[in-house]
């Protein structure tokens, strides 16, 4: 594969480089074919937080995370049908960061679609991001599955437009996770109306997968592990038989089941976040069924970061987490219990020390 | 000398009068003292909180709060402990310095640096109420 | 003759220094700075077994040319390596792709070989015999014939294992060799005396500075582990630190694919790895097939590192200073070289200046055990 100076223009054209035949096996992924025609995989890379320091210097740690995720995704033997990027490509939404991130993503051998994250958005309200990547919310169909991409990191108009004297200030305020001056995420009325219309045309037995940056749940408001209109969005999804929500933002393994909707968080390529219960001064509503990821050793900068590929069979998603310096984890939908489960560690007795010792 | 003795006696009496004037023995303190001193402490906690979010502690713009919102997952209650990354048993501030040198790509702080005290104060304050577990990995 | 005597004295001397020989299941005491040597339950140490193991270690008849034994690449007088060879030379001076790791303290590894494909010393001993570029044997028959019929061996195996003739198998052979290797232990270096022995003067001022760097800006201690009461200088894990792998970056998909197709059994791994320089750079990946392990090799111990040049799995880095420069550059040997995509998260540019690099190198000199210090009249090449 020749290394050219891929830039954002190549990215826009959906650059596919000379195919290096990937002959490596997928490890530990069982694809149980119910209706073989419906089976496919896609890869999910998220939360790279490319951070500009000065001039041509970017934070090395986050750069390496995205580089590695892209390189490994390209090695997959069973090629994913497409790649999603789950949001927060940049750290402070600057052109330099978005360009640098786009350049790295351009090396992917597959068609890539993007989800908006708050770190991409709050500097210029996603204007440059749209130049690079397209609309902030949209839907598409693939092999009988209906995919919806939401911009779920919006917030109250007053906070967005009136509160802060400069765009830079607004971005900084939203960037700090624990900032009491922050504002809760939401999908918002406009998008919910669009979603209702979009879903109206879809048959109730069509599998629906929603890509969102924020969790479409209310987990912990202090760190914006939160979508303020979660219930309303969930209500729109309720009529469908098989719904999966895949979200980023939290930088940790989380999964949940609410009614008919499965929720799965994806890892960040940049850095892990603590679980909300590790903040002793506040309560949180962490999904009880989640088996935590292994606690990280911060010396190994890729520890507790990773990317994931997702199998879609019978309309439900199974996630294989590629975790560096740790054993890979698989969270698969269990039809018997009707919820996502870790295929190895779900039972309390099967947990290992790095999952418990927080 | 008599003069010296007189001055000494005056000093003692003067001191006693001052103390009596405050209505205190030397080792008592009031509720107002406690409130005031708590405020002194919280002012340093506030400094620490500001530093926790500052991009200027290291050389690459990364802030403590990016990985440790509300100082979560720093576990001040487990120190001193054997710290794998430092090869021995260390105190909390040693690990703070490790973070400054490693993910923040900066220089360590002297152990009596005001910023070190502030960072420790903030992180420990955010962990208040949690039982001590020194040595826990 | 002199060599054999040296080794026997060394082994016995170490045992004496270390204390009582263990009974089955008990741990062997160790020199300053090391934990007790792990002894497996099914291979307890006895003086007779150790002596037999040493004899087997030095045997040249277990090779096609009658010239190669374990000591050829793991020579006691060269700190149990073949320094200064870059990669080892077996029969007829054939070469593979690996730099010979030292036997010293190998008993503390949880896996053997640079790619960790052997779970223990017993299993490791099986492989060089049938490696075409090492001992060159096609199978174990020549070895078994000798140990079953040579009168000295027959008597020794009978005494140690109570076995004779066809009862003697490669299992007994490797048990004995491993038992001998478990006596090749060294600690009590100037560092040990300083850090665990409380001798303030055991390190020079420069070495003390080097030690501080080791724990801090050098970022050494997380992989080359030092702990509060002992130091193995290895974490027994595998890391891609950007040696060798950098040369095959563009070919990784093809090479990995080829390897997986060609390789089916463990013995084939040995051949494949040692005869194909490009493939062998995949390291641990060949064993685990995990993305995480692409280009990863086992962290070696740093004990006696000053006398075991050249360095890395392929011997590609000549001096300790060059090693520090490689780390300082963040996993590339020359500044400006492309960093490979699969680099360990523990490796990144260190921003050390020349003085700091020299201090670290000087500290490395403090890790040599007294019995392996080059004597005054020996070659000053190291």
């Amino acid at each position: 594969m020749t290394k050219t100076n891929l830039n954002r223009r190549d990215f826009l054209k959906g650059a596919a480089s000379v195919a290096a035949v990937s002959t490596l096996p997928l490890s530990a992924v069982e694809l149980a074919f119910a209706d073989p025609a419906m089976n496919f995989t896609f890869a999910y890379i998220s939360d790279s937080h490319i951070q500009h320091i000065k001039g041509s210097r970017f934070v090395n740690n986050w750069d390496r995370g995205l580089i590695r995720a892209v390189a490994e995704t390209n090695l997959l033997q069973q090629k994913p049908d497409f790649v999603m990027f789950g949001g927060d490509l940049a750290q402070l939404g600057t052109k330099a960061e978005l360009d640098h991130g786009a350049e790295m993503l351009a090396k992917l051998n597959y068609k890539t679609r993007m989800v908006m994250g708050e770190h991409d958005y709050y500097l210029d309200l996603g204007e440059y991001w749209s130049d690079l990547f397209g609309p902030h919310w949209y839907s598409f169909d693939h092999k009988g599955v209906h995919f919806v991409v939401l911009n779920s990191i919006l917030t109250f108009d007053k906070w967005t437009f009136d509160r802060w004297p400069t765009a830079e200030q607004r971005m900084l305020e939203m960037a700090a996770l624990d900032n009491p001056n922050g504002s809760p995420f939401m999908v918002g009325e406009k998008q919910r109306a669009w979603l209702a219309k979009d879903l109206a045309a879809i048959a109730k037995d069509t599998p629906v997968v929603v890509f969102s940056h924020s969790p479409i749940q209310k987990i912990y408001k202090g760190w914006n592990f939160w979508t303020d209109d979660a219930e309303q969005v969930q209500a729109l999804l309720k009529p469908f038989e098989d719904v999966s929500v895949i979200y980023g933002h939290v930088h940790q393994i989380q999964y949940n089941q609410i009614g008919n909707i499965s929720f799965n968080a994806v890892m960040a390529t940049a850095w892990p976040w603590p679980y909300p219960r590790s903040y002793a001064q506040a309560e949180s509503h962490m999904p009880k069924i989640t088996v935590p990821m292994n606690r990280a050793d911060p010396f190994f900068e890729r520890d507790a970061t990773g990317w994931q590929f997702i199998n879609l069979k019978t309309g439900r998603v199974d996630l294989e987490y590629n975790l560096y310096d740790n054993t890979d984890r698989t969270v698969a939908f269990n039809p018997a219990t009707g919820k996502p489960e870790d295929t190895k560690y779900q039972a309390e007795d099967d947990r290992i020390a790095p999952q418990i010792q927080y | 000398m008599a003069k010296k003795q007189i001055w000494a006696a005056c000093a003692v009496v003067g001191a006693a009068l001052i103390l009596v004037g405050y209505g205190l023995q030397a080792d008592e303190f009031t509720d107002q003292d406690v409130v005031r001193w708590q405020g002194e402490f919280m002012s340093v906690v506030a400094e620490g909180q500001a530093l926790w979010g500052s991009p200027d502690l290291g050389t690459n713009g990364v802030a403590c709060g990016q990985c440790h919102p509300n100082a979560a997952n720093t576990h001040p209650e487990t120190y001193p402990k054997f710290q794998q990354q430092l090869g021995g048993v260390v105190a909390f501030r040693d690990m703070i310095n490790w973070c400054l040198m490693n993910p923040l790509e900066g220089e360590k702080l002297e152990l009596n640096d005001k910023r070190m005290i502030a960072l420790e104060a903030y992180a420990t304050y955010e962990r208040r109420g949690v039982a001590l577990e020194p040595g826990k990995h | 003759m002199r060599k054999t005597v040296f080794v026997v004295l060394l082994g016995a001397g170490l045992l004496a220094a270390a204390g009582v020989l263990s009974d089955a299941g008990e741990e062997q005491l160790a020199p300053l700075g090391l934990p007790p040597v792990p002894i497996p339950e099914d291979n307890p140490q006895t003086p007779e077994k150790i002596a037999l193991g040493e004899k087997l270690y030095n045997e040249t008849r277990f090779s096609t040319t009658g010239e190669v034994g374990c000591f050829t690449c793991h020579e006691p007088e060269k700190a149990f390596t073949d320094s200064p060879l870059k990669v080892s030379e077996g029969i007829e001076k054939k070469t593979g792709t690996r730099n010979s790791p030292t036997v010293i303290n190998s008993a503390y590894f949880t896996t053997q070989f640079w790619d960790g494909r052997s779970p223990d010393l017993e299993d490791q001993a099986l492989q060089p015999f049938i490696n075409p570029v090492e001992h060159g044997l096609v199978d174990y028959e020549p070895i078994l014939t000798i140990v079953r019929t040579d009168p000295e061996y027959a008597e020794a195996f009978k005494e140690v294992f109570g076995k004779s003739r066809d009862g003697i198998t490669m299992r007994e052979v490797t048990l004995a060799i491993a038992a001998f290797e478990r006596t090749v232990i060294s600690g009590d270096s100037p560092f040990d005396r300083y850090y665990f022995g409380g001798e303030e003067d055991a390190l020079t001022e420069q070495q003390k500075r080097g030690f501080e760097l080791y724990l801090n800006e050098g970022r050494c201690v997380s992989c080359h582990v030092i702990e509060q009461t002992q130091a193995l200088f290895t974490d027994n894990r595998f890391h891609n630190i950007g040696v060798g792998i950098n040369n095959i970056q563009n070919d990784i998909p093809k090479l990995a694919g080829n390897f997986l197709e060609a390789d089916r059994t463990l013995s084939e791994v040995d051949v494949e790895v040692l005869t194909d320089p490009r493939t062998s750079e995949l390291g641990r990946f060949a064993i685990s097939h995990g993305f995480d392990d692409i280009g990863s090799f086992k962290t070696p111990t740093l004990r006696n590192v000053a006398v075991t040049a050249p360095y890395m799995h392929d011997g590609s880095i000549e001096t300790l200073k060059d090693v520090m420069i490689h780390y300082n550059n963040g996993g590339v040997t020359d500044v400006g070289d492309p960093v490979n995509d699969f680099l360990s998260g523990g490796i990144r540019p260190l921003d050390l200046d020349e003085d700091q690099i020299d201090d670290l190198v000087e500290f490395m000199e403090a890790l040599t055990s007294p019995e392996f210090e080059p004597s005054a009249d020996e070659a000053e090449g190291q």
Side-chain angles (χ1 to χ4, degrees):
Chain A
M1 178 165 102
T2 54
K3 284 194 173 157
T4 59
N5 238 352
L6 297 165
N7 56 26
R8 66 182 184 94
R9 251 190 295 283
D10 294 310
F11 185 87
L12 280 171
K13 286 190 276 180
S17 60
V18 173
V21 176
S22 302
T23 55
L24 300 172
L26 277 183
S27 54
V29 173
E30 307 291 335
L31 292 177
F33 287 63
D35 177 1
M38 279 186 68
N39 274 283
F40 60 96
T41 69
F42 58 96
Y44 216 97
I45 300 176
S46 190
D47 289 275
S48 54
H49 287 266
I50 301 303
Q51 186 166 349
H52 191 204
I53 306 173
K54 203 164 127 178
S56 61
R57 264 187 81 208
F58 293 84
V59 176
N60 184 59
N61 191 342
W62 322 148
D63 273 11
R64 303 273 6 133
L66 183 55
I67 287 169
R68 183 152 193 166
V70 167
E72 290 186 356
T73 306
N74 280 341
L75 290 181
L76 285 172
Q77 185 188 38
Q78 174 133 10
K79 292 179 194 293
D81 282 13
F82 55 88
V83 178
M84 295 301 302
F85 184 84
D88 285 354
L89 179 64
Q91 168 65 6
L92 292 178
T94 64
K95 277 192 183 183
E97 289 170 350
L98 289 168
D99 280 344
H100 191 53
E103 201 178 314
M104 288 186 262
L105 284 178
K107 298 197 172 139
L108 282 167
N109 293 336
Y110 319 97
K111 172 153 179 60
T112 303
R113 294 186 175 89
M114 307 290 289
V115 180
M116 175 71 75
E118 78 278 14
H119 286 262
D120 304 315
Y121 184 74
Y122 279 98
L123 183 63
D124 65 355
L125 302 182
E127 194 184 312
Y128 190 63
W129 191 97
S130 280
D131 286 350
L132 291 175
F133 307 125
H136 297 187
W137 66 79
Y138 55 97
S139 67
F140 62 96
D141 296 284
H142 184 82
K143 294 191 179 167
V145 177
H146 187 68
F147 290 95
V148 174
V149 175
L150 294 176
N151 178 1
S152 58
I153 49 81
L154 299 170
T155 194
F156 301 111
D157 280 347
K158 266 188 101 123
W159 194 97
T160 306
F161 297 107
D162 301 335
R163 176 88 182 265
W164 306 106
T166 65
E168 286 79 7
Q169 175 81 11
R170 176 180 61 203
M171 182 67 252
L172 283 171
E173 299 286 343
M174 191 52 98
L177 197 72
D178 53 357
N179 184 5
N181 291 333
S183 188
F185 294 145
M186 59 188 65
V187 170
E189 210 181 299
K190 189 166 160 200
Q191 259 186 98
R192 292 200 313 268
W194 168 85
L195 181 62
K197 207 159 154 238
D198 182 82
L199 292 176
I202 309 297
K204 298 295 178 279
D205 61 356
T206 302
V208 174
V209 178
V210 177
F211 298 131
S212 155
H213 190 69
S214 70
I216 316 289
Q217 302 163 81
K218 288 175 168 166
I219 295 173
Y220 179 48
K221 200 166 187 186
W223 293 346
N224 240 338
F225 288 10
W226 191 270
T227 310
D228 221 40
D229 49 357
E231 291 89 353
Q232 286 124 301
V233 178
Q234 288 171 22
L236 290 172
L237 298 167
K238 199 160 187 295
F240 294 86
E241 282 174 24
D242 297 311
V243 186
S244 307
V245 171
I246 299 179
Y247 60 97
H249 181 62
V250 297
H251 297 210
Q252 62 196 214
I253 292 179
Q254 289 181 2
Y255 46 97
N256 199 9
Q257 185 78 23
I258 301 177
N260 63 320
I261 311 172
S262 308
F263 295 83
N264 283 281
V266 295
M267 305 286 287
T269 63
W271 71 78
W273 261 328
Y275 282 92
R277 69 163 173 275
S278 69
Y279 181 43
Q281 312 308 328
E283 273 186 33
S284 63
H285 304 283
M286 187 64 194
K288 287 188 177 57
I289 57 174
T290 293
V291 175
M293 65 189 179
N294 294 359
R295 199 186 67 184
D297 174 351
F299 174 81
F300 293 102
E301 296 182 339
R302 297 278 61 75
D303 199 350
T305 69
W307 59 277
Q308 35 282 311
F309 53 86
I310 295 162
N311 309 301
L312 209 66
K313 55 178 203 236
T314 66
R316 290 290 184 178
V317 305
D318 301 332
L319 271 85
E320 167 97 6
Y321 291 96
N322 274 275
L323 303 175
Y324 314 116
D325 301 321
N326 284 271
T327 315
D328 293 344
R329 296 255 312 255
T330 304
V331 175
F333 185 80
N334 184 344
T337 57
K339 7 174 175 210
E341 277 173 11
D342 189 287
T343 57
K344 197 166 169 191
Y345 303 109
Q346 193 62 45
E348 293 251 2
D349 293 340
D350 295 335
R351 309 279 163 92
I352 56 174
Q355 291 161 354
I356 304 165
Q357 187 115 350
Y358 258 91
Chain B
M1 302 289 284
K3 218 176 183 185
K4 260 204 181 142
Q5 282 171 330
I6 290 166
W7 275 116
C10 285
V12 170
V13 169
L17 280 172
I18 290 167
L19 289 172
V20 165
Y22 275 120
L24 297 172
Q25 298 291 328
D27 59 349
E28 271 188 23
F29 51 87
T30 67
D31 292 338
Q32 293 125 303
D33 288 328
V34 172
V35 167
R36 186 178 76 254
W37 292 331
Q38 189 68 17
E40 301 290 279
F41 170 69
M42 289 307 294
S43 75
V44 175
V45 168
E47 272 175 42
Q49 183 166 24
L51 286 169
W52 202 261
S54 162
D56 300 324
L57 277 180
T59 62
N60 59 5
V62 176
C64 313
Q66 275 179 251
C67 295
H68 295 285
N70 295 113
N73 213 19
T74 56
H75 295 289
E77 78 279 4
T78 60
Y79 287 85
K81 74 203 281 183
F82 176 79
Q83 191 76 52
Q84 209 183 344
Q85 293 82 6
L86 286 165
V89 176
V90 301
F92 187 40
R93 50 190 54 188
D94 296 310
M95 194 56 192
I96 292 177
N97 268 337
W98 186 93
C99 277
L100 290 174
M101 287 191 284
N102 289 284
L104 269 58
E105 297 184 75
E107 309 236 332
K108 57 180 169 185
L109 293 172
E110 291 303 315
L111 297 181
N112 60 359
D113 191 310
K114 279 186 158 186
R115 290 170 292 175
M116 177 59 87
I117 309 292
L119 289 168
E120 253 197 14
Y122 170 65
T124 314
Y125 180 71
E126 286 279 42
R127 200 67 178 152
R128 62 194 181 280
V130 178
L132 283 182
E133 272 182 288
K136 182 180 177 191
H137 173 57
Chain C
M1 273 303 112
R2 195 168 133 263
K3 179 165 56 187
T4 313
V5 168
F6 166 76
V7 170
V8 167
L9 279 177
L10 178 65
L14 285 167
L15 282 173
V20 174
L21 288 173
S22 67
D23 294 326
E26 276 179 28
E27 292 171 335
Q28 188 175 297
L29 292 177
L32 182 65
L34 286 172
V37 179
I39 310 286
E41 290 228 2
D42 57 4
N43 194 11
Q45 301 285 81
T46 69
E48 296 78 16
K49 191 191 289 181
I50 291 163
L52 172 57
E54 190 178 354
K55 189 173 156 69
L56 292 162
Y57 186 92
N58 289 309
E59 180 61 67
T60 54
R61 291 177 287 168
F62 300 160
S63 61
T64 51
T65 58
E67 288 168 356
V68 168
C70 311
F71 67 90
T72 305
C73 303
H74 300 283
E75 198 177 333
E77 267 143 15
K78 297 180 178 172
F80 286 83
T81 67
D82 51 15
S83 174
L85 290 182
K86 222 171 105 145
V87 293
S88 292
E89 292 171 354
I91 51 159
E92 297 155 12
K93 302 278 184 214
K94 291 188 182 185
T95 56
T97 58
R98 297 287 193 250
N99 179 267
S100 176
T102 182
V103 174
I104 307 170
N105 296 325
S106 57
Y108 293 104
F109 281 132
T110 55
T111 60
Q112 300 296 333
F113 291 112
W114 281 102
D115 59 12
R117 66 181 179 276
S118 264
D120 51 35
L121 292 169
E122 286 83 347
D123 183 80
Q124 186 280 334
L126 284 173
Q127 300 199 29
F129 293 130
I130 52 170
N131 188 311
V133 303
E134 296 183 354
H135 294 231
L137 297 177
V138 171
D139 58 33
Y140 298 111
E141 287 313 309
I143 301 175
L144 292 170
T145 303
I146 290 168
V147 298
R148 286 167 180 170
T149 60
D150 176 305
E152 278 183 41
Y153 278 125
E155 189 184 323
F157 274 94
K158 183 125 178 120
E159 187 189 359
V160 174
F161 295 106
K163 300 246 172 98
S164 56
R165 286 200 287 261
D166 287 1
I168 304 171
T169 67
M170 285 309 292
R171 176 92 180 121
E172 283 73 36
V173 171
T174 57
L175 284 174
I177 294 174
F180 165 64
E181 288 171 340
R182 290 193 177 100
T183 66
V184 183
I185 306 293
S186 84
D188 205 33
S189 65
F191 160 75
D192 294 303
R193 298 204 313 274
Y194 171 79
Y195 198 53
F196 304 117
E199 286 179 42
E200 278 296 313
D201 300 327
L203 293 184
T204 65
E205 284 312 305
Q206 187 180 26
Q207 287 172 334
K208 288 178 189 173
R209 288 200 303 272
F211 182 38
E212 278 305 304
L213 289 164
Y214 187 96
L215 296 177
N216 294 289
E217 292 91 332
R219 285 169 62 89
C220 315
V221 72
S222 278
C223 296
H224 292 287
V225 173
I226 295 175
E227 293 189 344
Q228 191 72 34
T229 60
Q230 37 74 24
L232 289 183
F233 289 96
T234 174
D235 58 356
N236 269 306
R237 292 170 66 171
F238 303 86
H239 307 287
N240 172 333
I241 65 164
V243 174
I245 188 79
N246 291 351
N247 303 330
I248 62 159
Q249 284 188 64
N250 296 332
D251 299 322
I252 287 172
K254 179 169 159 294
L255 289 172
N258 284 342
F259 184 89
L260 291 168
E261 280 176 84
D263 174 53
R264 295 274 182 260
T265 65
L266 211 54
S267 57
E268 269 191 59
V269 172
D270 205 7
V271 175
E272 198 68 25
V273 157
L274 291 183
T275 58
D276 185 344
R278 298 179 66 75
T279 298
S280 73
E281 300 302 354
L282 294 172
R284 179 76 177 157
F285 169 81
I287 313 302
S288 69
H289 301 187
F291 287 150
D292 216 12
D293 289 326
I294 293 174
S296 293
F297 295 89
K298 194 174 70 186
T299 311
T301 177
L302 294 181
R303 290 185 175 281
N304 303 303
V305 72
V307 296
T308 58
Y311 303 105
M312 303 299 165
H313 67 277
D314 54 2
S316 61
I317 303 191
E318 277 183 39
T319 68
L320 286 174
K321 184 153 179 171
D322 292 331
V323 169
M324 300 308 168
I325 291 170
H326 177 90
Y327 281 112
N328 199 30
N329 292 342
V332 289
T333 302
D334 297 311
V335 178
D337 282 353
V339 176
N340 86 88
D341 293 343
F342 303 94
L343 190 70
S344 164
I347 303 298
R348 60 145 204 235
L350 298 176
D351 221 22
L352 302 170
D353 61 38
E354 180 130 18
D355 285 339
Q356 291 174 310
I357 287 176
D358 288 338
D359 289 349
L360 275 168
V361 172
E362 200 56 30
F363 175 61
M364 292 294 103
E365 303 275 349
L367 306 181
T368 308
S369 300
E371 59 268 38
F372 294 109
E373 279 290 359
S375 60
D377 53 63
E378 273 181 9
E380 61 265 337
Q382 314 281 12

